[in-house]
Amino acid sequence: MRDEDEAVVKPEINQRVQELRELLQQASYAYYILDNPTMEDAVYDQLYRELQDLETQYPELVTPDSPTQRVGEKPAAQFSSVQHNIPLYSLENAFNIEEFAKWQERWKRHIPENSTLSTEYVCELKIDGSALALTYKNGILVRGVTRGDGIAGEDITQNVRTIRSIPLRLNTDNPPPILEVRGEAFLPLEVFEQLNREREKAGEQLLANPRNAVAGALRQLDARLVAQRRLDFFAYTLHFNNQNSDITTPHSKKPTPHSQWESLELLQNLGFRVNPNRKVCPSLEAVRDYYNNWDKQRRSLPYMTDGVVVKLNSIKLQEELGFTQKFPRWAIALKYPAEEAPTTILDITVQVGRTGALTPVAELKPVSLAGTTVSRATLHNSDRIRELDLHIGDTVIVRKAGEIIPEVVRVLPQLRPANAQSFQMPSHCPVCTSPVKREVGEAVTRCINSSCPAILKGSLIHWANRDALDINGLGEKLIEQLVERNLVKSVADLYILTTEKLTSLERMGKKSADKIVTAIALSQNQPWWRVLYGLGIRHVGSVNAQTLTQHFTTVERLSSAKITEIEGIYGIGPEIAQSVWDWFQVEGNQSLIQRLREAGLQLAGEVKTKTESVNQPLSGKTFVITGTLPTLKRDDAKELIQNAGGKVSNSVSAKTDYLVVGEDAGSKLAKGQSLGIQQLSEDELLALIG
C-alpha cells in the first residue's frame, strides 16, 4: 500500500513509469505498424502489469497516452454530435476506366495549360470500413469522430482509443500544435470469421459483414465491448491546420509534406498503419494497370476492398483544384463492378411506405454477395416484376447496386421449377386491408387510407428526422410502440404526449420520457421550411421546401396559391406544384395544419421585400466559415449571415468575399490567404452585420 504521508512521488518511480511507457509504445509500434515484433508477448505482458501496478499505486502519474488507458472502465452514457474541424467530403465514383478518363478531362480544365505542377497520381486501395477523423493536440490523441454527414459526426473518442493501430501519442518529439488525421477503421476478415464462429457457438446472431460489424462496434457505449472486436485502422491523409513545421521522427526529420505520397510516409513514421499496397502512377495507363491488377488480387487480401482511391499527388495542385459542392476535384473512387450471385426466390412480400407506396420485396435464399449475406432485394414495382417475368421459386441473379442495395438483375427461366407461382400485387393494403389504387401513368400502387399504421409510422419517422423537425430520441422503435398503443394517430398528436403516457411504454423510464417530451417541445421552434418538409408532401425535399417558403412566407399563402403560381417559382416544376396543390385540397390535411398551429409550430417565416433584401448589410456577399468561433456555433453564424442577406459557401474560391476565421482554422484559411480574401473574426462579423 502507498504511504498516505508520502506527498511526492520519488524520482526513480517517475522515471520507471516513463521507461515502461516508452518500451511498451515502441513494442506496439513494431508489432502493429511495422509488423516486426521486437518483444516476446510474455515480456510485454510482464512490463504492462508492472506499469499498471505503478499507476494504480500512483494515480497522479496516469496520462491519457499511457498504454493502460486504451479501454475505458465506464460505459459512455451517449455519444454527442460534434462538428468536424475540416469537413469529410465524399468521393465522386467512377465505375470503369472510361469514367475515370472523363474525370481526368474535367479536372484538367481547371488548371492552366502551361502549369508546371506534377499531375501524377497516388493509388490506394479503398478500404471497406468506417471513416474516422482523429485530432491530436501537441501529439496526444484528444478526439475521434465518425464521418457522420461530413460536416458533423459522433464523438467516439473512448472507442477509438481501443484500436491499437491508432497511436495515443504521435511518434515524434516535436509534434505540431494540432494535427488532423483521417483514415478508415476496418475489421480484418480473419477476425470477422473468428467472431462469427464464437457467436455461432454461443447461439448469437451472426454478424452480416465486416463493414456493418465495424459500424456497430464503433457505436457501442461500452469501450470494453469495442476492444473485443479487435478493429484495425489505415490512415490516409493528414492536415496541419496551417502550422508548417518540420517533424522529427525516430527515423528522420520530416518537413511538412508537399505530396500525398510524402503524407503517407509521414503518417507511417508518426505511428500509423498505412496501406502497403499504395503506388505512384504517372499516367492514366498506370492507374488502369494498378486497378486491373488489384481486381484479380483483392480476394486474397486480409480485409475487404471495393475499389481504388486515386488522388493527385501534388498537394499544391489539390489546393488549386479545390472542391465542388460535394466532392474534392482532385480525388475519385474507382470502384470495382458489383459482384453478382445466383439464388432462389423463396417468396415475395409487400412493404408499405410513408407515402402509401406498396413495394414488392423478394425474400431470397441467403447468399453471400460482395462480402455480405443477402436475404432480401427490392423489386421496385409490379412493372419491374412483369419485365423480369419473375415467379416465386425462380433462380435469379442478384447484385448490389452501388454495392449497397441488393437488386434482382435477371431470371434464369431454364431453371424454373414446375410449381413456380406468378405474383400479383394485392388489391388491398397488407397492413390496414384498405383498397389500394394505381394512378394512370404511374408505376406505383398506393394505399389510399391516410390512417394506415404503416403510412403513419413512416410519416412520424420522417417528421422526427434530422432534416425535418429533428426530434432527438424519437426513433423507429419508439414510434412503432406509439402507433401500436394508439397514443399517436398523426404528427400533431406528438405535441400532446405527456411523460405519464410515455412511461406506460416498454423500457421507458421517467427520465427518458422527460427528455423526449422536451425534445418534442423544442421542435416547435423549428422554422417554417422544416415544418413544410416534415409534412412529407410528395416530391417536396428539404431544398424545395426552403424555396417554397421563401416565396410563400405563410402556410395560408401556400395553401391558397394556384398551381400556376407555385409552378412559376424557379426550381419548382409542374409535378411538385401539382403535388403541393393536391395536398392542401385534402380536408384532413387542412385539419392537421390547424392542429399544428394550435400546438405552436412555426407556420410562417420572415417577410422581406425586395427593397429590404437589397438594403441588407451583407446582401450579395459570399462568406466561408473555418475553425471554431468563440461563442457562435457554425449553424448560428450561418443563419446570422443568411438573415443579413449574405450567402455561405463550403469552399473558398475567387468569388469568396469574406473568410470568417475561428480557432483551429483548417485548410480554407491557407486557401483564403493565397487568394487575398479578407478575414473576419467573430466580433468583426457581428459588427459588419450591425
Side-chain angles (χ1 to χ4, degrees):
M1 293 291 292
R2 184 181 175 187
D3 186 353
E4 293 181 1
D5 296 328
E6 186 178 4
V8 180
V9 179
K10 293 179 181 179
E12 57 267 29
I13 297 295
N14 200 350
Q15 182 178 350
R16 180 57 177 166
V17 167
Q18 292 181 18
E19 287 174 354
L20 288 168
R21 283 188 190 138
E22 289 178 9
L23 284 169
L24 293 170
Q25 285 166 352
Q26 289 168 7
S28 291
Y29 178 70
Y31 185 90
Y32 290 104
I33 308 305
L34 302 181
D35 198 20
N36 183 27
T38 58
M39 184 182 293
E40 295 292 332
D41 289 350
V43 177
Y44 184 95
D45 292 341
Q46 183 179 340
L47 294 177
Y48 185 92
R49 283 195 297 271
E50 182 183 350
L51 175 60
Q52 200 171 37
D53 290 342
L54 287 172
E55 289 182 343
T56 300
Q57 193 174 357
Y58 302 96
E60 62 268 42
L61 295 182
V62 177
T63 59
D65 62 314
S66 173
T68 65
Q69 301 303 299
R70 279 201 176 271
V71 182
E73 292 299 319
K74 294 181 179 179
Q78 61 180 17
F79 297 125
S80 57
S81 179
V82 295
Q83 196 154 20
H84 290 300
N85 296 328
I86 303 166
L88 265 76
Y89 285 90
S90 302
L91 291 180
E92 184 178 354
N93 288 329
F95 291 93
N96 50 55
I97 291 297
E98 290 71 24
E99 291 182 5
F100 176 82
K102 291 178 181 178
W103 168 78
Q104 180 177 262
E105 291 174 6
R106 289 198 300 274
W107 72 252
K108 282 189 173 182
R109 290 198 291 266
H110 288 272
I111 61 171
E113 290 184 7
N114 59 354
S115 173
T116 59
L117 294 173
S118 170
T119 58
E120 66 184 7
Y121 298 108
V122 170
C123 290
E124 304 164 58
L125 295 180
K126 185 176 181 295
I127 308 304
D128 202 9
S130 292
L132 295 178
L134 311 175
T135 303
Y136 288 81
K137 283 192 176 182
N138 299 314
I140 305 297
L141 176 66
V142 296
R143 195 174 85 161
V145 183
T146 62
R147 185 186 182 280
D149 62 2
I151 303 300
E154 290 183 308
D155 188 335
I156 57 166
T157 306
Q158 186 167 302
N159 291 348
V160 165
R161 294 169 67 85
T162 70
I163 304 176
R164 293 187 175 274
S165 47
I166 293 178
L168 302 180
R169 173 192 286 273
L170 296 177
N171 199 17
T172 174
D173 293 329
N174 63 325
I178 297 290
L179 184 70
E180 290 276 336
V181 175
R182 301 291 166 78
E184 197 86 0
F186 65 95
L187 191 66
L189 290 174
E190 183 180 358
V191 177
F192 172 73
E193 290 163 2
Q194 184 180 341
L195 284 170
N196 265 346
R197 285 195 295 269
E198 293 169 357
R199 294 172 76 89
E200 188 173 20
K201 286 180 182 178
E204 299 175 353
Q205 184 176 353
L206 299 186
L207 301 168
N209 58 73
R211 184 198 308 173
N212 290 356
V214 172
L218 291 173
R219 300 200 76 256
Q220 290 281 348
L221 294 175
D222 191 339
R224 290 169 293 188
L225 298 177
V226 184
Q228 292 174 10
R229 288 284 173 93
R230 289 163 285 171
L231 303 182
D232 210 333
F233 180 81
F234 279 136
Y236 52 67
T237 193
L238 76 173
H239 302 275
F240 285 90
N241 284 24
N242 308 304
Q243 300 290 334
N244 294 316
S245 60
D246 292 346
I247 296 178
T248 302
T249 69
H251 303 286
S252 63
K253 188 173 184 179
K254 294 286 184 180
T256 302
H258 294 90
S259 70
Q260 173 65 10
W261 189 262
E262 291 176 2
S263 296
L264 294 171
E265 288 187 326
L266 179 56
L267 281 166
Q268 184 163 332
N269 285 325
L270 288 173
F272 293 92
R273 282 198 75 191
V274 176
N275 195 292
N277 300 307
R278 60 194 185 275
K279 186 177 182 180
V280 174
C281 294
S283 64
L284 182 151
E285 290 73 21
V287 171
R288 180 191 59 206
D289 292 344
Y290 178 94
Y291 173 78
N292 291 337
N293 178 52
W294 280 107
D295 191 18
K296 299 173 184 175
Q297 295 190 56
R298 61 191 173 110
R299 288 166 186 81
S300 63
L301 289 168
Y303 45 79
M304 294 292 297
T305 177
D306 57 354
V308 172
V309 174
V310 187
K311 300 176 183 176
L312 282 160
N313 195 21
S314 167
I315 289 178
K316 188 175 174 73
L317 184 53
Q318 290 181 13
E319 291 172 349
E320 283 197 12
L321 289 172
F323 300 81
T324 67
Q325 287 187 342
K326 294 183 178 180
F327 313 117
R329 289 194 178 92
W330 42 267
I332 195 166
L334 185 51
K335 304 289 286 292
Y336 289 117
E339 292 184 10
E340 297 184 348
T343 187
T344 305
I345 303 285
L346 302 177
D347 197 4
I348 297 176
T349 57
V350 177
Q351 295 179 337
V352 184
R354 67 176 176 85
T355 63
L358 272 61
T359 303
V361 176
E363 305 292 340
L364 308 170
K365 181 179 179 181
V367 60
S368 180
L369 184 65
T372 66
T373 300
V374 172
S375 58
R376 309 183 86 205
T378 179
L379 294 170
H380 303 291
N381 52 58
S382 56
D383 286 353
R384 177 59 176 162
I385 293 175
R386 191 181 307 110
E387 179 185 325
L388 289 167
D389 185 28
L390 186 65
H391 290 61
I392 298 170
D394 274 343
T395 297
V396 296
I397 300 298
V398 183
R399 74 176 175 197
K400 280 192 171 181
E403 297 210 4
I404 297 175
I405 304 169
E407 66 176 0
V408 175
V409 181
R410 62 186 179 275
V411 175
L412 302 178
Q414 64 272 29
L415 299 180
R416 178 172 293 159
N419 61 349
Q421 301 173 17
S422 60
F423 173 80
Q424 296 293 329
M425 287 292 286
S427 59
H428 289 74
C429 174
V431 176
C432 69
T433 70
S434 298
V436 297
K437 183 178 180 181
R438 177 174 173 175
E439 297 287 351
V440 177
E442 284 197 0
V444 179
T445 302
R446 298 182 189 278
C447 173
I448 56 176
N449 174 19
S450 59
S451 300
C452 175
I455 296 175
L456 177 56
K457 288 177 186 177
S459 299
L460 291 167
I461 291 169
H462 177 72
W463 180 267
N465 79 31
R466 181 179 294 180
D467 292 335
L469 279 294
D470 193 17
I471 304 177
N472 189 32
L474 189 60
E476 187 170 346
K477 290 183 179 179
L478 177 56
I479 285 171
E480 284 181 2
Q481 287 195 68
L482 291 172
V483 173
E484 288 167 3
R485 297 282 191 90
N486 287 321
L487 292 176
V488 173
K489 296 180 180 178
S490 80
V491 294
D493 288 335
L494 293 173
Y495 297 91
I496 57 174
L497 284 176
T498 62
T499 298
E500 290 72 27
K501 288 181 180 179
L502 288 173
T503 51
S504 68
L505 302 175
E506 293 178 12
R507 298 182 181 180
M508 179 63 68
K510 184 177 183 305
K511 189 174 181 180
S512 297
D514 284 339
K515 286 183 178 179
I516 291 169
V517 170
T518 300
I520 292 172
L522 287 173
S523 73
Q524 294 170 317
N525 300 319
Q526 294 287 11
W528 160 217
W529 74 264
R530 283 182 175 268
V531 177
L532 179 60
Y533 174 60
L535 292 173
I537 301 173
R538 287 182 64 199
H539 309 306
V540 177
S542 59
V543 174
N544 291 332
Q546 292 180 62
T547 302
L548 287 165
T549 55
Q550 287 170 4
H551 287 79
F552 301 102
T553 53
T554 67
V555 69
E556 289 81 11
R557 288 191 61 194
L558 182 57
S559 64
S560 61
K562 297 177 181 178
I563 293 178
T564 51
E565 289 181 78
I566 303 171
E567 188 180 334
I569 299 170
Y570 179 77
I572 303 296
E575 191 175 37
I576 298 173
Q578 185 69 53
S579 182
V580 171
W581 188 87
D582 286 344
W583 193 90
F584 280 104
Q585 306 315 303
V586 177
E587 186 177 345
N589 293 337
Q590 292 287 357
S591 299
L592 173 61
I593 291 296
Q594 181 57 35
R595 289 193 63 199
L596 292 176
R597 181 184 289 108
E598 293 168 357
L601 274 294
Q602 304 299 312
L603 299 175
E606 294 183 9
V607 181
K608 294 185 178 75
T609 65
K610 290 184 179 180
T611 303
E612 287 173 332
S613 298
V614 171
N615 293 333
Q616 287 180 293
L618 306 185
S619 180
K621 301 296 182 183
T622 300
F623 293 74
V624 172
I625 305 169
T626 181
T628 304
L629 301 179
T631 63
L632 292 173
K633 292 181 180 179
R634 188 169 296 213
D635 286 345
D636 295 335
K638 182 177 179 180
E639 188 173 352
L640 283 171
I641 292 169
Q642 290 173 333
N643 288 341
K647 296 180 180 179
V648 179
S649 174
N650 286 327
S651 57
V652 179
S653 70
K655 296 180 180 179
T656 305
D657 296 293
Y658 295 102
L659 191 65
V660 183
V661 181
E663 187 180 353
D664 299 335
S667 57
K668 295 174 185 176
L669 177 58
K671 178 75 171 179
Q673 289 171 336
S674 68
L675 293 173
I677 294 168
Q678 183 175 344
Q679 298 174 29
L680 297 176
S681 66
E682 179 184 298
D683 288 341
E684 290 169 332
L685 171 65
L686 294 174
L688 194 64
I689 294 173

